[in-house]
Amino acid sequence: MNRKCVALGLIILSLAACQKAQQSSDISPVVPANNPEIADGNMIVKGQWITEVNGDVMLDPQTSGLTVWKDKLISLSDRSADVSQRMQLHVISPETAQLAPGTMAFTLSDNVKDSCFASYIQGNPDLEALVAVPDESGVFLTITEDASDHKGLSEKCAAQFGESGSVEYPFVLIRLEVQDDDSVMMTHARPLTFAASFNLGNFPNDGIEGLALGRDGQLYFGLEKDAGSHARIFTTRITAETWLQEGFIAIEDTQVKLPIFKHGNHPINALEIYEREGKEYLFAAARNDEKLWLVDLAGQQDTLIIDLDFYAPVDDPDEKCPAWELMANGSIEGLTIIDDTLWMVNDPWKAVYLSNIQCEQNRAKFEKMAPLLFSLPIQDAWFTQDSDAR
């Protein structure tokens, strides 16, 4: 791995001279011959610890999504988070990485309480991904993933929703709406159905981890892996009529050109949509291998892979530990965009997160499974390749 560009500094994000996009050596490379700005090397991304109002780092939120509302970053937690972090929205300042005071706790509407999914949703659902709905301030979408330890659907509900084309307990899309008292109501819940030809398999904890929503209501779903262990991107159109119905939402395949890796696990753990010069793209995060994917939604160009190195700040640096330490695993699971800056938040992956401990100054933070907030300016070089070269 190229370390020549590691530079010490006091800024939150630094782009050094050799920070370029590159193709993974694990796949047949896409050679950007006509673009001198694409070369070997990883992009350096420096983070901020997310902190409470009192200055303490955030305790084990297991962050599963990131979006923007009222110029603030909004996240939520999955079911494996500390109990104090579950079933609520977290408001984060992009300038300081500090959490807003107060709690935006979830409640259930009568409609959701009466649905087939009430017992799961009102318990400890595995909420993954979060996206704000354009032009509906305070409205968000999230989705459930792993329900393998839930008792399952009732006999009546199983007859209606038991065959989803994927997992036994279907993935459920949930509409959230902020109330006047800052609570967040789960107003509607609808399950997803996939064609058998999509070959999804039954992987409850390797399901949908990313959501991205365009202004036209086109919603995109990032799937960790299908029966062939390949990541997938699906889509459907969301309108006001979507929430007036109660049955399955039918999902379509996008047919975008995703990379096929020869080795290892390369899931999609977060999605965000981006428009540039009239074209739409998706950014996707691959948590296992410190990569961003840039996906052409028109399906004309191959996915560009951007290798990243994540750095955590070190308090009281010394000779052994400089101001920034390279993380062994960044575990990105939330993406969103403000203007032309890509914001990323990590989900401290309990199986590997402690491998980040190198400096004693950060030991307690990593042991608390504290997350970091990262930002990365979107680069012109990512979009200037000829279609024949991508």
Side-chain angles (χ1 to χ4, degrees):
M1 185 175 291
N2 189 341
R3 303 291 186 225
K4 293 181 181 179
C5 298
V6 177
L8 301 180
L10 299 177
I11 57 173
I12 296 305
L13 184 146
S14 162
L15 295 176
C18 67
Q19 297 156 359
K20 311 294 182 183
Q22 71 175 61
Q23 301 300 321
S24 167
S25 59
D26 228 2
I27 64 173
S28 299
V30 177
V31 182
N34 298 325
N35 187 355
E37 293 301 315
I38 306 294
D40 287 344
N42 295 6
M43 299 199 75
I44 295 172
V45 188
K46 296 184 176 182
Q48 305 175 75
W49 295 103
I50 298 177
T51 58
E52 303 283 354
V53 174
N54 64 6
D56 291 342
V57 292
M58 192 178 190
L59 172 64
D60 192 16
Q62 294 298 294
T63 314
S64 59
L66 190 68
T67 192
V68 179
W69 179 51
K70 291 185 175 180
D71 299 321
K72 300 294 184 182
L73 298 168
I74 312 295
S75 73
L76 85 170
S77 301
D78 69 21
R79 68 172 183 169
S80 62
D82 184 85
V83 66
S84 65
Q85 309 288 9
R86 302 174 195 165
M87 294 290 282
Q88 60 184 287
L89 295 182
H90 306 289
V91 181
I92 308 167
S93 165
E95 292 81 17
T96 64
Q98 186 177 85
L99 291 158
T103 300
M104 299 183 71
F106 291 173
T107 62
L108 274 66
S109 69
D110 291 341
N111 176 62
V112 174
K113 290 178 182 178
D114 292 338
S115 76
C116 282
F117 313 104
S119 62
Y120 175 56
I121 292 175
Q122 67 189 357
N124 183 24
D126 190 27
L127 300 178
E128 299 288 346
L130 182 71
V131 63
V133 177
D135 304 322
E136 290 189 71
S137 181
V139 176
F140 304 87
L141 301 179
T142 186
I143 194 162
T144 67
E145 188 188 29
D146 188 6
S148 58
D149 66 348
H150 182 65
K151 62 182 180 181
L153 296 166
S154 68
E155 183 176 350
K156 178 181 177 181
C157 291
Q160 187 176 2
F161 299 118
E163 298 294 334
S164 68
S166 57
V167 290
E168 292 180 8
Y169 194 103
F171 304 126
V172 181
L173 186 68
I174 300 174
R175 181 183 183 273
L176 308 173
E177 185 170 358
V178 179
Q179 306 298 294
D180 291 340
D181 63 356
D182 284 339
S183 65
V184 182
M185 183 174 289
M186 296 173 138
T187 63
H188 299 80
R190 289 191 62 190
L192 308 185
T193 182
F194 302 82
S197 60
F198 293 168
N199 194 30
L200 261 63
N202 181 22
F203 302 111
N205 199 33
D206 289 293
I208 294 171
E209 292 258 345
L211 294 176
L213 182 61
R215 289 201 168 274
D216 60 354
Q218 201 68 32
L219 180 63
Y220 298 92
F221 304 84
L223 184 85
E224 283 196 89
K225 73 175 185 181
D226 62 10
S229 295
H230 300 141
R232 303 279 290 277
I233 295 177
F234 298 98
T235 189
T236 194
R237 180 64 62 88
I238 299 296
T239 69
E241 296 295 319
T242 300
W243 308 114
L244 301 180
Q245 304 173 41
E246 296 182 352
F248 276 121
I249 296 175
I251 304 303
E252 301 174 356
D253 196 344
T254 58
Q255 301 294 324
V256 294
K257 294 183 178 181
L258 296 181
I260 302 297
F261 292 85
K262 297 177 182 178
H263 307 287
N265 296 317
H266 305 272
I268 289 176
N269 295 98
L271 281 182
E272 178 60 301
I273 195 167
Y274 180 67
E275 184 176 340
R276 185 184 181 93
E277 297 178 353
K279 292 190 64 176
E280 288 188 322
Y281 300 86
L282 286 174
F283 283 103
R287 183 176 79 165
N288 292 36
D289 49 15
E290 318 294 89
K291 299 181 189 297
L292 279 175
W293 297 356
L294 180 60
V295 182
D296 173 24
L297 269 176
Q300 298 174 346
Q301 297 177 330
D302 293 304
T303 291
L304 181 69
I305 297 174
I306 304 159
D307 288 332
L308 305 176
D309 282 341
F310 293 98
Y311 284 76
V314 177
D315 293 333
D316 302 318
D318 53 32
E319 291 184 1
K320 181 179 179 181
C321 293
W324 301 96
E325 62 172 336
L326 176 65
M327 297 177 67
N329 179 267
S331 299
I332 297 301
E333 199 151 317
L335 295 176
T336 195
I337 293 172
I338 300 177
D339 297 325
D340 288 318
T341 296
L342 183 68
W343 291 87
M344 298 172 278
V345 68
N346 65 342
D347 167 18
W349 189 0
K350 292 181 178 178
V352 299
Y353 205 55
L354 296 185
S355 66
N356 287 313
I357 298 174
Q358 302 171 68
C359 298
E360 286 302 311
Q361 296 95 315
N362 277 340
R363 175 178 292 276
K365 297 181 178 71
F366 285 122
E367 289 179 344
K368 287 184 177 180
M369 298 292 155
L372 294 107
L373 180 67
F374 303 90
S375 62
L376 177 65
I378 294 172
Q379 306 291 294
D380 291 341
W382 300 343
F383 303 91
T384 56
Q385 302 179 75
D386 291 344
S387 59
D388 291 339
R390 275 190 84 173

